[in-house]
């Protein structure tokens, strides 16, 4: 039996992962499932999967979790230390699907115990790419991509030599506002930004798709995951979300990965890798689809893409700054304290402030420094928002 753990089990990726695992209960022994505020779902999943332990991220929800698990024999724990301890429990395969930088420390702990880490949490590589890759190397652990674009590139590279790769092209749906006049974006509401034309995902990544902060994170993730130079990574808007990524080779050939927009494909590929097993995802009917369209992203509509390039040029801890500032700006947008376009302005201002703050951004990449940087960047976004309000 394979030992598996699911971090972020109550979320969109977590639930899709459970859907696949629960179809074959005799194949898996579930070690840990984790969640945040959704205690009912967490306890239900822990019972259904007969997990050893369930962990909520929030200390003050421990009693609720204990009550929901009463009589099951399943351990309950809470808080960020408990998440890291659960990730350190031996497992063969760990799904990293917590949202945000909170996924980093448990992901590192899973790699340190030698688990294969299925990485949906793109923030892990954006905030701490070299630290994560070095940790995996040192402990003989493997990272597998779960983001659909990175899974697509990974699949297109099977049997290929990275030296023959000329460029990687990742596609973007364009999000909720791809066809809006740019002048209207400043007035976009949280509700409007939370509806994705093609994918059914958590609210935060859905809003990040509308602003293309999600794609910006993915460009940085591509650089870290595949070790490719930033100028060889391209983004193309593809409204149908059928082609997930393409790899261009030095002989001019381009390998594309196509599939219906269903995350169970990328999750299932990472779960069964290196085998390809049957998956319960819709099959493509290209004739019915009729056409697949592609266009360049409009830089005015999506300033996040330019910021990602700046981050890659700056290097060091600027990925951690970028992600934290983006997360905090998103909190303020969701809380209706700032507008949709203010998010990229806030992130750009915080990146500049770090640049002016001396060598902080070039400090060695340790978990401690990443967390310190993350904390400071969030504080600077808060300062800026408060100043605006005042
Ligand atoms: P969701 O918001 O649906 O789920 C997030 C999960 O993280 C939930 O289990 C949530 O718990 C938990 N969580 C929230 N805050 C914390 C915290 N501070 N500490 C620990 N756990 C926390 O997100 P998604 O499933 O959409 O996304 C998860 C990750 O996967 C993200 O990094 C995203 O970018 C990435 N991803 C998602 C895709 C998708 O299709 N959804 C596609 C590709 C990548 P609770 O809900 O109980 O509060």
């Amino acid at each position: 039996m394979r030992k598996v753990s699911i971090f972020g089990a109550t979320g969109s990726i977590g639930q899709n992962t459970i859907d696949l695992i629960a179809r074959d209960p005799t194949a898996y022994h579930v070690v840990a499932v984790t969640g945040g505020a959704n205690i009912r779902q967490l306890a239900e999943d822990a019972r259904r999967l007969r997990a050893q332990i369930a962990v909520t991220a929030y200390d003050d929800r421990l009693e609720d979790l204990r009550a929901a698990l009463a009589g099951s024999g399943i351990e309950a724990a809470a808080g960020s230390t408990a998440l890291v301890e659960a990730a350190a429990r031996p497992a063969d395969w760990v799904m990293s699907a917590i949202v945000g930088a909170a996924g980093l420390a448990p992901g590192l702990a899973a790699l340190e115990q030698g688990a294969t880490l299925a990485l949906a949490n793109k923030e892990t590589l954006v905030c701490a790419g070299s630290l994560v890759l070095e940790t995996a190397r040192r402990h003989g652990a493997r990272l597998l991509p779960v983001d659909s674009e990175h899974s697509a590139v990974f699949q297109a590279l099977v049997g290929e030599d990275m030296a023959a790769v000329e460029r990687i092209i990742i596609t973007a749906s364009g999000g909720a506002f791809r066809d809006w006049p740019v002048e209207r974006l400043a007035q976009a509401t949280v509700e409007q930004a939370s509806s994705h034309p093609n994918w059914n995902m958590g609210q935060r990544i859905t809003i990040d798709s509308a602003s293309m902060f999600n794609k910006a994170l993915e460009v940085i993730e591509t650089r870290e995951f595949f070790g490719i130079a930033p100028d060889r990574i391209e983004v193309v808007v593809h409204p149908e979300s059928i082609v997930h990524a393409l790899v261009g080779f030095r002989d001019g050939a381009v390998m594309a990965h196509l599939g219906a927009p269903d995350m169970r494909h990328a999750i299932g590929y990472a779960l069964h890798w290196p085998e390809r097993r049957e998956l319960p995802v819709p099959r493509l009917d290209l004739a019915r689809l009729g056409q697949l369209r592609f266009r360049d992203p409009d830089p005015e509509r999506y300033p996040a893409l330019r910021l990602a390039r700046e981050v890659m040029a700056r290097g060091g801890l600027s990925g951690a700054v970028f992600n934290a500032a983006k997360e905090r700006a998103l909190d303020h947008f969701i809380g209706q304290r700032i507008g949709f376009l203010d998010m990229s302005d806030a992130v750009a201002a915080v990146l500049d402030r770090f640049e002016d703050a001396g060598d902080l951004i070039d400090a060695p990449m340790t978990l401690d420094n990443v967390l310190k940087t993350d904390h400071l960047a969030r504080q600077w976004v808060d300062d800026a928002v408060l100043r605006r309000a005042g």
Side-chain angles (χ1 to χ4, degrees), residues 8 10-13 36-38 57 97 99 120-123 147 201-202 263:
T10 52
S12 165
I13 292 285
N38 194 345
V99 65
N121 177 278
K122 58 197 82 187
E123 297 87 345
D147 233 336
M201 309 185 287
M263 282 308 295

Side-chain angles (χ1 to χ4, degrees), residues 240-308:
E240 290 82 11
S241 297
I242 296 295
V243 178
H244 303 308
L246 309 94
V247 178
F249 294 91
R250 64 182 167 201
D251 61 354
V254 175
M255 305 286 278
H257 178 283
L258 282 73
D262 185 325
M263 282 308 295
R264 288 176 304 176
H265 176 78
I267 296 167
Y269 188 80
L271 182 61
H272 302 309
W273 182 89
E275 277 179 51
R276 238 183 226 289
R277 297 214 189 139
E278 192 171 332
L279 291 172
V281 297
R283 270 40 179 178
L284 274 188
D285 182 341
L286 288 173
R288 224 172 132 203
L289 267 166
Q291 61 173 346
L292 297 175
R293 293 162 298 164
F294 302 91
R295 61 177 188 250
D296 283 328
D298 170 2
E300 212 190 323
R301 183 184 300 274
Y302 303 118
L305 292 179
R306 176 182 51 76
L307 295 175

